[in-house]
Amino acid sequence: MFKYYLKKTLRNRGFLFWSLIFPLALMTFMKIAFGGLYDMQNSIDPMKAVIVDNGSGAFSENFISLMDQLSDKSGDNYYFDLTTYEDLDEAKASLEEKENEVLFEITDEDTINIYLMPGHSVTSSCVSKAVCDSYMRNYQFLMDAFTMDPEGARKILDNMADGISYTKEKENAFSSDPDSYSWYYYSTLVMGIFLSATSGVEIVSDLRADVSSEAMRLSVSSSNKSRMMINSFLARFIPSIVIVLIQLTVMHYAIGVSMGNEIGKLILFVISCIMFSLGFGVICGLLFKGSANTRGNKTTAVVMISVFLSGEMTSQLPGVFEKYFPIINDINPATLMNMAFYRFTVCGDDLGFYMNIGKITGLSVLFLLIGIFALRREKYASL
Amino acid sequence: MSDVIKVEGLVKRYKELIALDHLDLKVKQGEIYGLLGPNGSGKTTAINCILSLLEYDKGTVTVFGKEMTPRSYDIKKDIGIVPQDLALYDSLTVYENIDFFCGLYIKDPVKRKQYVQEAIDFVAIGDFVKFKPKKLSGGLKRRLNIACGIAHKPKLIFFDEPMVAVDPQSRNKILEGIVELRNSGATVVYTSHYMEEVEQICDYVVILDKGNKIAEGTIDDLKNMIKKSEIITIEAAGVDEDTLESIREMKNIFSVNYENDLLIVEAGNGKHNVIDIINILQDKGYMMKKIFSEQPTLNDVFLELTGKNLRDE
């Protein structure tokens, strides 16, 4: 049974077109049309930074050493024009007067405080935070390394500087001016994933005798309905995963869009979003009336509206909603998926990512439970 | 013969509409049981209730002597259905469609392969096994629909209006096949609003109208239920009103119509109706070109019982 369900899915031209071909074509088009623009936008100017060192010992020395790395005009990671102040108030005043963009205060408790100039850019806050977070995470490890092998520790510092580069985009996912380039790709990926909702509708037409005559024939058979359900779901779920992995591969290697560097999160994102999309499709298939095709078309329309509201066409739209109608972002499935991806790949916002994934997974479970309850029905009021 | 299906007091309502009104049916093993009635008479509803697909308000349904429920898998394994709407997957080939539906019942791949091949041979679609259904003609699709329903060799098969949009050649082939299935031991429930098909193959017929059983019996039983037993048609030119009146006054004559040189007489049971009419015409000196007598059809039965044509909506 699974074999034939799988064949049905793979021979479904509509599914392959909307889930695979259309998003890839759109991505290719965007790469050709806007690729050069991205390269220009993606190079950031070094920001004026100031350090006030109130600490002592290895913690402050190593941090200053790291900052020197990041201020090396001849290096690959030239992010800061660095100066040192003795007095914190004087340094803060330089921020007020906009002589400097960011202030790093190393305290005597081995912590680092970050101050930003009024009206600072999101980029400066994002990069500054990334530097400190990275340093704090690796500090203890560095301490050991400097004791054992100072040269090796230098290499770690170099790597740390490299690791910061991927976080150089905006911090706030709902920014009124998000990174449009990445945003469009992520939206397109999410659109492809979300369009697998039409497969969810097919699960309904596979199994509901009041939707298709094929399902009626299945209902009369001696095969267990739970078994049919599992087979039908897996025959949609597995190809959807493969399709998304193809898209991610193309995005990363052919187009050069950042995927973050945490494969676990990426897999979690893909699995939860596909489950959500299939569950959403099942709910649409149950709620909409008409033939299986009509239900599928209506679902496609809902998905496209959702994708549009998530900023596929206008990347500023979620920012506008966040300001005036935040509930739209909270309930729009495409925005939830988009934000999860953006937060994890661009912002390094783990909490935001997990919150979005939590919402998506929760809704997936809810949808699938409702779907199982409705699809296991074997007797109907009318056919 | 034992009852394969026993339906007692089946009531199905759709809000105000009563689709089945205390329907009783008994289908005996090894017969082709015809459910005849116009569209909307409750034939498909009755089948769906028997198959436990449709909720019903009252009544009991037993199949193979056991109560039929949605989870009666031991009963379902011996049931096949050929639904009114084509139940085929467009993305699978002819072979794959049959194999898929057969696979719902037969798990052993070797046995299934043999069954699928036999079903292909049975409906004679061997030349099209690699075709997708949309490439097939209407008749071939119907034959494939049948193959999908019978491949697992069920003991009880439901054919729900299987001949809709089927060409005459395919129709005869399919009807012969259904008789063959009966001859090989299967019990068949056959619904149709084409009385010719039912007359041709059914051993026992129930006529439904508005959810009520209005008559049942063998074809001959049903025909005997009505007064009219013979329709006599004679081509004769210029028959006058006196002659027509003489025919009307004959015993067993229900109606006499004369139009365009055709005399059509509906008569009841009588041994010499044709001879008596011919004698009257000969006595008056009329020349007769064609003479023929027809037995009443099921449509005549239906017409007399309900006052309307079987194919009425």
Side-chain angles (χ1 to χ4, degrees):
Chain A
M1 189 188 291
F2 175 75
K3 180 180 82 174
Y4 284 127
Y5 275 138
L6 193 61
K7 277 189 179 183
K8 271 178 60 188
T9 305
L10 296 177
R11 288 175 188 173
N12 184 337
R13 288 180 189 171
F15 167 71
L16 291 179
F17 176 78
W18 288 109
S19 296
L20 178 64
I21 309 294
F22 181 60
L24 282 181
L26 211 54
M27 284 178 193
T28 308
F29 169 76
M30 286 192 289
K31 170 70 178 172
I32 293 165
F34 307 117
L37 194 65
Y38 172 70
D39 290 341
M40 284 163 60
Q41 287 181 347
N42 203 36
S43 58
I44 60 169
D45 294 330
M47 65 191 81
K48 289 186 174 177
V50 56
I51 290 182
V52 176
D53 183 8
N54 291 328
S56 59
F59 182 83
S60 65
E61 280 173 25
N62 287 327
F63 183 70
I64 290 167
S65 176
L66 170 66
M67 290 302 289
D68 286 341
Q69 288 275 327
L70 298 173
S71 310
D72 181 4
K73 289 180 183 177
S74 59
D76 293 336
N77 300 299
Y78 175 39
Y79 294 115
F80 300 107
D81 272 338
L82 196 63
T83 51
T84 307
Y85 277 57
E86 295 289 329
D87 182 53
L88 180 63
D89 292 335
E90 195 182 337
K92 283 182 179 175
S94 75
L95 293 181
E96 291 294 327
E97 289 163 15
K98 300 194 176 178
E99 287 173 14
N100 290 302
E101 284 182 63
V102 58
L103 160 61
F104 297 96
E105 180 202 4
I106 306 169
T107 70
D108 53 4
E109 293 170 342
D110 285 356
T111 59
I112 301 163
N113 293 328
I114 301 170
Y115 302 89
L116 294 158
M117 76 172 185
H120 62 86
S121 70
V122 180
T123 306
S124 60
S125 68
C126 202
V127 173
S128 309
K129 187 173 181 301
V131 169
C132 290
D133 286 349
S134 180
Y135 179 72
M136 296 297 284
R137 272 199 305 272
N138 293 286
Y139 170 63
Q140 191 55 50
F141 182 57
L142 272 172
M143 288 302 93
D144 296 341
F146 267 108
T147 311
M148 307 287 290
D149 178 12
E151 192 53 39
R154 180 67 52 198
K155 286 179 182 170
I156 291 170
L157 271 176
D158 290 345
N159 289 339
M160 201 186 295
D162 288 340
I164 289 161
S165 61
Y166 69 83
T167 61
K168 63 193 172 190
E169 300 303 329
K170 318 296 185 204
E171 183 183 42
N172 182 2
F174 286 115
S175 164
S176 60
D177 184 23
D179 168 19
S180 301
Y181 188 77
S182 301
W183 186 262
Y184 282 129
Y185 284 110
Y186 299 158
S187 293
T188 307
L189 177 80
V190 164
M191 181 184 69
I193 294 175
F194 201 17
L195 277 167
S196 58
T198 53
S199 282
V201 179
E202 282 175 15
I203 294 174
V204 175
S205 69
D206 267 351
L207 299 168
R208 288 277 301 204
D210 56 349
V211 178
S212 75
S213 48
E214 294 89 344
M216 194 184 107
R217 193 168 240 161
L218 259 62
S219 297
V220 176
S221 80
S222 54
S223 276
N224 188 294
K225 203 145 193 189
S226 305
R227 198 171 140 252
M228 293 179 201
M229 246 189 282
I230 292 166
N231 280 300
S232 181
F233 178 81
L234 287 178
R236 268 77 189 204
F237 184 67
I238 293 169
S240 296
I241 285 193
V242 173
I243 282 173
V244 175
L245 292 180
I246 291 170
Q247 285 170 347
L248 287 171
T249 307
V250 171
M251 275 172 73
H252 188 62
Y253 292 105
I255 299 174
V257 176
S258 166
M259 296 289 140
N261 63 349
E262 292 176 79
I263 191 77
K265 280 186 192 168
L266 193 60
I267 290 169
L268 179 65
F269 168 81
V270 169
I271 289 175
S272 56
C273 289
I274 290 173
M275 275 180 60
F276 174 83
S277 302
L278 289 175
F280 185 82
V282 168
I283 297 298
C284 287
L286 291 169
L287 289 179
F288 291 136
K289 302 291 174 199
S291 68
N293 273 344
T294 307
R295 290 170 199 236
N297 291 340
K298 286 178 181 172
T299 304
T300 304
V302 170
V303 168
M304 294 311 272
I305 291 168
S306 170
V307 168
F308 172 75
L309 293 178
S310 78
E312 165 70 19
M313 306 296 288
T314 315
S315 59
Q316 289 86 358
L317 212 50
V320 174
F321 288 142
E322 191 63 13
K323 195 170 176 185
Y324 300 105
F325 313 103
I327 187 140
I328 293 179
N329 286 335
D330 291 336
I331 61 169
N332 182 11
T335 308
L336 285 176
M337 289 189 268
N338 234 345
M339 285 302 161
F341 201 43
Y342 194 76
R343 280 178 162 143
F344 131 64
T345 52
V346 174
C347 302
D349 177 6
D350 282 355
L351 182 65
F353 169 76
Y354 285 119
M355 280 183 69
N356 275 33
I357 289 295
K359 281 184 198 173
I360 291 165
T361 308
L363 284 170
S364 308
V365 171
L366 179 69
F367 289 164
L368 290 173
L369 284 176
I370 293 171
I372 289 168
F373 184 76
L375 294 175
R376 63 198 286 272
R377 184 176 178 176
E378 288 162 321
K379 222 169 179 180
Y380 301 86
S382 65
L383 286 173
Chain B
M1 281 188 290
S2 59
D3 292 332
V4 172
I5 300 172
K6 193 171 176 186
V7 175
E8 287 178 326
L10 192 62
V11 177
K12 171 65 186 172
R13 290 192 186 91
Y14 293 108
K15 293 180 182 171
E16 301 301 312
L17 179 78
I18 300 176
L20 294 175
D21 189 3
H22 294 90
L23 183 69
D24 297 324
L25 300 173
K26 276 183 186 176
V27 181
K28 296 198 183 306
Q29 192 181 342
E31 70 180 1
I32 300 178
Y33 189 93
L35 277 177
L36 187 64
N39 292 330
S41 59
K43 303 183 298 289
T44 302
T45 302
I47 287 185
N48 288 335
C49 288
I50 292 169
L51 291 170
S52 214
L53 281 169
L54 206 53
E55 291 164 355
Y56 46 86
D57 300 281
K58 225 193 263 183
T60 57
V61 175
T62 56
V63 178
F64 298 123
K66 295 175 190 168
E67 189 193 353
M68 183 68 177
T69 68
R71 299 202 170 192
S72 303
Y73 297 124
D74 55 332
I75 299 174
K76 286 181 167 184
K77 71 180 170 50
D78 290 322
I79 295 178
I81 179 160
V82 179
Q84 188 172 352
D85 297 325
L86 293 169
L88 306 167
Y89 292 118
D90 282 338
S91 51
L92 299 182
T93 64
V94 165
Y95 186 92
E96 288 167 343
N97 263 292
I98 302 171
D99 193 36
F100 174 81
F101 288 112
C102 187
L104 297 172
Y105 302 85
I106 310 294
K107 305 300 170 199
D108 176 10
V110 177
K111 192 174 175 186
R112 191 167 74 233
K113 194 174 178 186
Q114 178 202 330
Y115 279 21
V116 170
Q117 191 54 52
E118 285 174 13
I120 289 168
D121 294 341
F122 183 80
V123 296
I125 49 172
D127 293 339
F128 308 96
V129 286
K130 289 184 179 170
F131 283 51
K132 302 265 178 69
K134 63 183 169 190
K135 298 270 182 193
L136 302 178
S137 67
L140 285 171
K141 277 183 197 166
R142 284 279 158 196
R143 277 147 71 174
L144 172 59
N145 198 34
I146 291 170
C148 292
I150 58 136
H152 60 288
K153 297 191 187 298
K155 292 177 185 162
L156 171 62
I157 311 165
F158 291 85
F159 287 89
D160 190 8
E161 307 254 13
M163 301 299 183
V164 177
V166 175
D167 58 280
Q169 270 187 325
S170 294
R171 183 173 294 196
N172 284 332
K173 180 88 188 155
I174 292 168
L175 290 176
E176 283 167 16
I178 292 170
V179 173
E180 210 177 311
L181 284 170
R182 188 267 315 272
N183 293 342
S184 64
T187 305
V188 174
V189 176
Y190 188 93
T191 80
S192 179
H193 58 252
Y194 295 120
M195 44 262 156
E196 302 87 352
E197 295 170 8
V198 173
E199 278 194 80
Q200 194 177 333
I201 64 167
C202 290
D203 302 309
Y204 196 88
V205 178
V206 165
I207 298 178
L208 292 178
D209 187 39
K210 293 179 180 171
N212 287 294
K213 184 166 65 177
I214 57 170
E216 67 178 314
T218 62
I219 304 290
D220 288 341
D221 290 343
L222 291 172
K223 287 178 180 175
N224 287 334
M225 280 180 193
I226 59 172
K227 289 181 286 183
K228 181 176 66 186
S229 64
E230 194 174 13
I231 299 168
I232 301 155
T233 306
I234 299 171
E235 191 179 341
V239 179
D240 62 21
E241 190 54 37
D242 285 347
T243 310
L244 296 177
E245 197 54 40
S246 303
I247 296 170
R248 281 191 192 104
E249 283 169 4
M250 281 172 56
K251 211 177 164 185
N252 298 324
I253 299 299
F254 299 121
S255 72
V256 177
N257 287 303
Y258 184 68
E259 210 171 320
N260 298 328
D261 293 344
L262 273 183
L263 176 65
I264 299 169
V265 180
E266 292 182 349
N269 285 324
K271 287 182 181 174
H272 310 294
N273 292 331
V274 178
I275 294 168
D276 292 345
I277 293 168
I278 289 170
N279 284 341
I280 289 173
L281 292 169
Q282 276 181 336
D283 288 348
K284 302 265 183 174
Y286 291 109
M287 292 290 289
M288 289 163 277
K289 291 179 186 170
K290 290 177 186 169
I291 304 165
F292 51 92
S293 167
E294 293 170 294
Q295 296 298 304
T297 63
L298 278 179
N299 191 47
D300 298 316
V301 176
F302 193 81
L303 193 63
E304 190 164 321
L305 292 172
T306 66
K308 61 184 178 184
N309 200 291
L310 256 174
R311 293 183 201 183
D312 285 347
E313 291 295 325

